[in-house]
Every structure is written in C-alpha cells, then in structure tokens.
Amino acid sequence: MYKSASPSSAVVVGIDGSQWAVNAALWAIDEAISRDVPLRLLYVVEPRGHGDIDPEQEARDLACADVSVRRTLVAVESAEKPVKIEWEVLQGHPARVLLNAARSADLLCMGSLGIAHATGSRLGSTAANLATSALCPVAIVRSGGQHRSAGPRHVVVEIDESPDSVNVLDAGITEARLRGAPLTVLATSTTKLADVHEHIPDENARARLDKRLARHRLANPDIEFNPVTVNVSTMNYLEHHADSIQLLVISRHRRPGLGEIVGTARAVPSQVNCSVLICQHNQRL
C-alpha cells in the first residue's frame, strides 16, 4: 500500500534501496533530533511508460519499495536514538515528488549516489537537480570512507561578501555545534587558480575575517573557530584537506556555481568526499 503523511515540518530523506540512501538516513537522525521534528523517509515509485498499468510490475515495484523502507527503518532504529520516524511511498517523477516534499521540509537529505548509479561514476541526477531547486536546505550525504586524519574532522563553511553568507555562517555554526566539531570559516580571494601555485595567506584578508567573526566568537564560546583566507579556490582547499573535513556548508547562490561542488559534470569531484549542506537565503534551520 502507498502511504502519504500530511505535509508538515520534517527532515525528509529520499531513499531508493541503495546503501547511499541508508547512509543519508543515518546522517539525518541528529538533524531531525536537533530540530525536534520527525525523520521522514520518502520512497518514490516512478511510473513505467504511458500505457495501461501492469499489475505484476506494480506489485514488483511495491515490493522493492517495501524492502527499501524496511531496510532503512531497521538501520535507523538500530541507531537507538530518540527520533520520531515517518515513512511515505509515493508515485511520480522522483525529482518532482521530492521538490514538493521540500516545500514543508526543514531539510532535504539525499545520498550522493543512487541505486541506478551504483558504479559510482557520477552524482545522481535527482540529487543534483534538488540541490539547485528545492525550497529548503539540501544535504548531499557522502559516506566518506576511511579517513587518515588523527584530529577532529572539521565543518567547513564557505563565505564571501554576499548577504547569503550571513545565513551560511549561521548554518555552519549550528552544524559544528551539533557535531562537536571545529568550524573552519573559509574565505577565498578572487585570484584565478591558474595564477596560483601555492597557498599564500593574505594577512589583510585574514584581519578582515577575524573582525567579521569577532561577534560570532563571543556569541558562541563553545565553538572552536578556525578562520582561513587563501588565494586558491574552495576546490583546491578541499583537495589539500580532504581527510580532515566531514561537512562543507555553502550557499546555493555561490560563485562559481554549484556544479563544481555537487558534481553535475560527468565525474564526481574527487576532492569532495565530504557531505555538503547547501543553504539559501530563506532557509529554515
């Protein structure tokens, strides 16, 4: 049977039977608890063709949905955390159904790859579409594999001079507190990467960033701030510090665009092996 919960605040996780989706659900548990909202698992059955419904195929699709939901429920319940769990199985185009769910969601979470992309060659197209279109913040969750860093893994927030950076920095602080992690605030210069051969700190930019963060440090004494200003791209920074980063927080309206971060090109960027939280101006956190 299809089940549909009434639209309400929740952390919504798109699931599809893949391990990446299970990882996304496990990642989202603390997000739901911190917001005091349910964790809602959403499986979308995509219609097949435009002719008459094949009852046998429909039964197989529903059986797949049931297995996927149950598998994810077992994983979430095994975490033994105080989170309320809801689930839905809906029919429709996955991107459209998830975009509609995002209208009332506090956060939408997706695995970086889906069952159709099990070779690991590229980011799921649904996740890439949602990253740029959803009406709430979107988290693209990567499992990250093994990490060689002996120290704590940072939350990194990318800021610039745009108004969006106020919300992005607030989101980064919230995420760092949730994870008990240090917060790296990354401000990059406009120097072209082709003209840069090494990390050269800009002392004037660092002084401006320190001044900008002063009130946030006072307001959040429990957060360890690590301000960083470098004249290289964010991608370059991620590549050099990949093993020490667990989450990257960015604006949907960043320049350059989201493509280099979320991997809308043919290959998933090897530098980005952390999860990514994509914020927007009117986000609900």
Side-chain angles (χ1 to χ4, degrees):
M1 293 295 292
Y2 293 102
K3 180 178 184 295
S4 178
S6 300
S8 60
S9 293
V11 170
V12 175
V13 183
I15 61 172
D16 60 3
S18 68
Q19 183 59 47
W20 292 283
V22 174
N23 292 341
L26 293 172
W27 185 92
I29 292 173
D30 289 339
E31 298 286 342
I33 293 172
S34 70
R35 292 166 170 80
D36 194 24
V37 298
L39 177 68
R40 183 173 301 147
L41 309 175
L42 177 55
Y43 186 103
V44 183
V45 177
E46 191 166 7
R48 296 174 180 266
H50 303 285
D52 293 335
I53 296 175
D54 180 348
E56 291 186 0
Q57 184 60 60
E58 184 179 40
R60 286 193 292 269
D61 288 341
L62 285 174
C64 287
D66 183 66
V67 169
S68 298
V69 170
R70 290 180 185 275
R71 179 190 181 196
T72 310
L73 282 172
V74 168
V76 172
E77 290 170 350
S78 296
E80 297 183 343
K81 292 187 177 182
V83 62
K84 179 182 178 182
I85 308 169
E86 300 176 349
W87 60 270
E88 299 180 88
V89 176
L90 301 177
Q91 279 188 312
H93 186 277
R96 286 195 289 269
V97 172
L98 289 166
L99 284 172
N100 186 59
R103 293 178 180 275
S104 60
D106 288 55
L107 176 66
L108 180 63
C109 299
M110 298 284 294
S112 59
L113 295 169
I115 194 67
H117 305 282
T119 59
S121 61
R122 61 178 297 177
L123 177 75
S125 58
T126 299
N129 183 16
L130 291 166
T132 58
S133 304
L135 296 180
C136 68
V138 175
I140 297 176
V141 180
R142 295 180 171 94
S143 60
Q146 298 297 317
H147 298 273
R148 296 183 294 274
S149 176
R153 295 177 61 218
H154 288 223
V155 171
V156 174
V157 56
E158 177 195 62
I159 65 170
D160 54 25
E161 299 302 320
S162 70
D164 278 359
S165 287
V166 175
N167 292 316
V168 176
L169 180 55
D170 286 345
I173 292 170
T174 298
E175 295 297 327
R177 177 174 291 113
L178 179 61
R179 290 165 175 74
L183 178 65
T184 293
V185 182
L186 180 64
T188 57
S189 77
T190 57
T191 304
K192 292 183 179 179
L193 184 59
D195 299 328
V196 177
H197 301 286
E198 59 181 341
H199 295 266
I200 305 174
D202 182 334
E203 295 303 329
N204 290 331
R206 172 59 186 268
R208 291 194 298 271
L209 181 57
D210 281 335
K211 182 178 180 180
R212 184 175 180 181
L213 294 178
R215 68 179 181 87
H216 295 283
R217 281 189 164 118
L218 288 173
N220 302 279
D222 57 320
I223 303 296
E224 177 187 337
F225 285 82
N226 176 36
V228 175
T229 57
V230 290
N231 55 0
V232 294
S233 72
T234 296
M235 294 297 288
N236 188 284
Y237 182 88
L238 295 174
E239 181 176 16
H240 282 82
H241 299 84
D243 291 320
S244 65
I245 301 171
Q246 62 172 294
L247 177 66
L248 173 66
V249 184
I250 59 175
S251 169
R252 175 175 299 173
H253 307 294
R254 71 186 297 271
R255 294 291 181 269
L258 291 176
E260 66 169 359
I261 297 293
V262 301
T264 53
R266 177 70 180 173
V268 177
S270 59
Q271 300 97 321
V272 188
N273 61 4
C274 62
S275 298
V276 181
L277 176 62
I278 301 155
C279 307
Q280 59 175 339
H281 182 66
N282 62 342
Q283 65 179 328
R284 298 185 296 278
L285 284 169

